[in-house]
Amino acid sequence: MISIFDLFKIGIGPSSSHTIGPMRAAWLFAARLTKDGSADRVTQIRVDLFGSLAWTGKGHGTDKAVILGLAGEAPETVDPDQADRIVAEVATQGRFALAGRHDLAFAPASDIVFDRESPTPRHPNTLAFTAFDAAGAVLAAERWCSVGGGFVVREDAPADLGAITDPVPYPFANAVDLLRLGGDTGLSIAAIVRANEFSLRPEAEVLAHVDRVIETMMAGIDRGMRNDGELPGGLKVKRRAKALRVQLDSDTSRNDLAPHEKMDWVSLFAMAVNEENAAGGRVVTAPTNGAAGVIPAVLRYYRDFCPDATHDGMRTFLLTATAIGGLFKTNASISGAEVGCQGEVGVAASMAAAGLAAARGASNAQVENAAEIAMEHHLGMTCDPVAGLVQIPCIERNAFGAIKAISAASLAARGDGSHRVSLDQVIATMRQTGADMNTKYKETSQGGLAANFIEC
């Protein structure tokens, strides 16, 4: 299983695989140099970005991320309001403090190399760090893979899944296991995940993390609905969430409510988060940054529009979503560079559908059905960000992922849990579809909308 601490990470935008992952890898490399005592002898660090990181790293802030990580900033603690200032100072002064301690010359334009030619044997999101001494000798060299959702692994490591290896009371590797455990014990999916998490950490620590995730998600929606202006990156995309909220508030005050108004609010919630993400603000990786708006939007829908909503129900939502996200992570992928956007927005919709169904009292079979329905109708979705930015079509795509999740949960709840295509089968299909997908549709901005935007 994948822990809720790993699946729901708090960080900054715009990308979990291209921002949070590289920042974490850079932070780990800098920490290693400090720990082994070689930091004081380093006179140059070179960073090589390969594959998707090279093709769309500029738009996704990968260069910014590695600077922050090498300077000792971690994704979960970096101040989003100070990040751009730190990077600008490095570019202007040509230096930074390695791991926040050792002053080092660094020229981003030459010391960060976007290599679009070299192969990426293990994962399309690969980056390399090389530290040199004054004589030009290599002091340390590491190659890392950012495997989606902010997870990173050394390229030469034996496993890259981030799965828990400690014994837990209810281990599961697929949905069949999960449903069997529920049937044998009488526990809900959320209760199974809760018991496993409590076996690894104190109960108070687990619940505090869940509540912090909820708080951060809701705060991201609120910030996104307050902020306006133009998003960075050069596409001149204007934020829409604030204006949309004004319109919806006006409709409510006039009692002029369209039948689909609740879905407009859901779209607003999702877009608000993803506009914050595109601006480099603080979001929750859920399970990725590119899909960070789906689960918060559906969770807010549950909180604001479902009469049976409770705070414990919100916890149930996220614990259940953790189980589903973990199945996709361990049996397929949540990386757009590996399987396309079906692995990001599709997985987020599947997690959200399961979470909403569980929070509203669905059986384990209905929860599994909700997750399956949501992913089934995202199969084959490409990852084709225009100009390498998490803006077009990503922001709107989150809105529709959230709406599909709500529909999937509703359909499943009106059935008895029986269905022909299982969640395990749809996960396998997603993995196979991603493997067959042309590379230009997997977060390289070489195909799809990214290639045809100018003509449009």
Side-chain angles (χ1 to χ4, degrees):
M1 58 166 278
I2 304 292
S3 171
I4 195 168
F5 286 80
D6 294 320
L7 200 60
F8 291 105
K9 303 183 185 74
I10 297 171
I12 62 171
S15 172
S16 49
S17 60
H18 287 57
T19 310
I20 291 179
M23 190 190 307
R24 188 175 302 282
W27 184 90
L28 290 168
F29 182 67
R32 174 246 172 122
L33 294 174
T34 300
K35 184 177 181 180
D36 67 16
S38 60
D40 291 342
R41 293 186 289 140
V42 175
T43 60
Q44 181 191 3
I45 288 182
R46 171 178 164 137
V47 183
D48 291 275
L49 306 176
F50 306 103
S52 179
L53 296 182
W55 283 103
T56 60
K58 282 285 186 183
H60 286 62
T62 306
D63 47 352
K64 167 184 172 180
V66 296
I67 291 171
L68 290 170
L70 290 172
E73 298 287 350
E76 58 271 20
T77 56
V78 63
D79 183 347
D81 296 328
Q82 297 299 318
D84 286 336
R85 178 191 60 78
I86 295 170
V87 173
E89 287 180 355
V90 173
T92 301
Q93 299 173 7
R95 354 189 29 87
F96 71 90
L98 179 63
R101 300 179 183 181
H102 173 61
D103 189 58
L104 181 69
F106 190 83
S110 58
D111 289 333
I112 301 177
V113 179
F114 291 81
D115 182 347
R116 298 179 177 180
E117 303 298 330
S118 297
T120 54
R122 180 161 184 175
H123 194 279
N125 291 334
T126 300
L127 65 165
F129 301 95
T130 310
F132 303 90
D133 65 13
V138 174
L139 288 172
E142 293 179 354
R143 287 172 64 94
W144 288 81
C145 297
S146 179
V147 297
F151 289 86
V152 293
V153 61
R154 287 278 296 272
E155 189 181 51
D156 55 358
D160 65 0
L161 299 177
I164 292 171
T165 56
D166 294 330
V168 294
Y170 304 112
F172 57 90
N174 50 50
V176 169
D177 287 348
L178 199 53
L179 292 175
R180 176 184 52 77
L181 282 170
D184 291 346
T185 64
L187 295 174
S188 68
I189 291 173
I192 289 170
V193 174
R194 184 184 289 110
N196 286 344
E197 296 287 354
F198 287 176
S199 73
L200 300 169
R201 293 179 176 90
E203 177 178 341
E205 182 180 348
V206 174
L207 295 180
H209 178 72
V210 175
D211 289 345
R212 186 179 175 217
V213 167
I214 292 171
E215 179 184 352
T216 304
M217 286 181 171
M218 297 303 105
I221 292 174
D222 292 335
R223 283 196 315 273
M225 292 192 298
R226 288 195 306 267
N227 294 331
D228 56 12
E230 192 175 282
L231 294 172
L235 283 180
K236 300 187 182 300
V237 173
K238 293 184 177 179
R239 289 179 181 248
R240 291 182 285 168
K242 182 177 180 179
L244 181 55
R245 179 179 184 175
V246 170
Q247 293 174 14
L248 290 172
D249 282 339
S250 177
D251 290 346
T252 301
S253 65
R254 297 198 315 269
N255 199 27
D256 181 19
L257 307 179
H260 59 271
E261 188 213 20
K262 288 181 182 178
M263 293 302 101
D264 287 344
W265 278 100
V266 172
S267 295
L268 164 61
F269 299 151
M271 291 170 64
V273 173
N274 279 85
E275 287 176 356
E276 279 295 297
N277 177 63
R282 189 171 300 286
V283 296
V284 177
T285 300
T288 69
N289 281 32
V294 176
I295 290 174
V298 179
L299 189 62
R300 183 74 160 240
Y301 164 82
Y302 168 74
R303 192 196 78 175
D304 290 0
F305 294 115
C306 294
D308 55 349
T310 64
H311 184 72
D312 190 59
M314 297 176 80
R315 288 174 169 174
T316 294
F317 184 120
L318 290 182
L319 290 164
T320 304
T322 297
I324 303 304
L327 294 180
F328 279 100
K329 172 65 179 163
T330 54
N331 296 309
S333 175
I334 58 172
S335 168
E338 197 168 25
V339 295
C341 199
Q342 59 176 355
E344 298 201 30
V345 169
V347 172
S350 185
M351 294 167 66
L356 178 61
R360 302 214 65 196
S363 68
N364 287 350
Q366 289 170 319
V367 168
E368 185 260 359
N369 190 17
E372 183 278 324
I373 293 171
M375 173 49 78
E376 185 176 333
H377 301 290
H378 280 91
L379 288 173
M381 179 176 282
T382 58
C383 184
D384 49 354
V386 173
L389 299 168
V390 191
Q391 298 176 18
I392 302 173
C394 317
I395 294 171
E396 286 184 355
R397 188 169 282 175
N398 273 256
F400 283 89
I403 290 169
K404 283 185 181 181
I406 293 170
S407 295
S410 180
L411 282 173
R414 292 183 182 278
D416 61 4
S418 61
H419 53 108
R420 298 298 297 272
V421 179
S422 72
L423 177 59
D424 288 332
Q425 289 170 331
V426 85
I427 291 174
T429 302
M430 189 268 270
R431 184 186 66 247
Q432 294 159 3
T433 302
D436 292 339
M437 191 181 291
N438 192 296
T439 301
K440 68 182 181 180
Y441 298 117
K442 294 192 280 190
E443 210 165 358
T444 62
S445 290
Q446 294 178 284
L449 284 175
N452 294 304
F453 176 73
I454 302 301
E455 297 176 10
C456 295

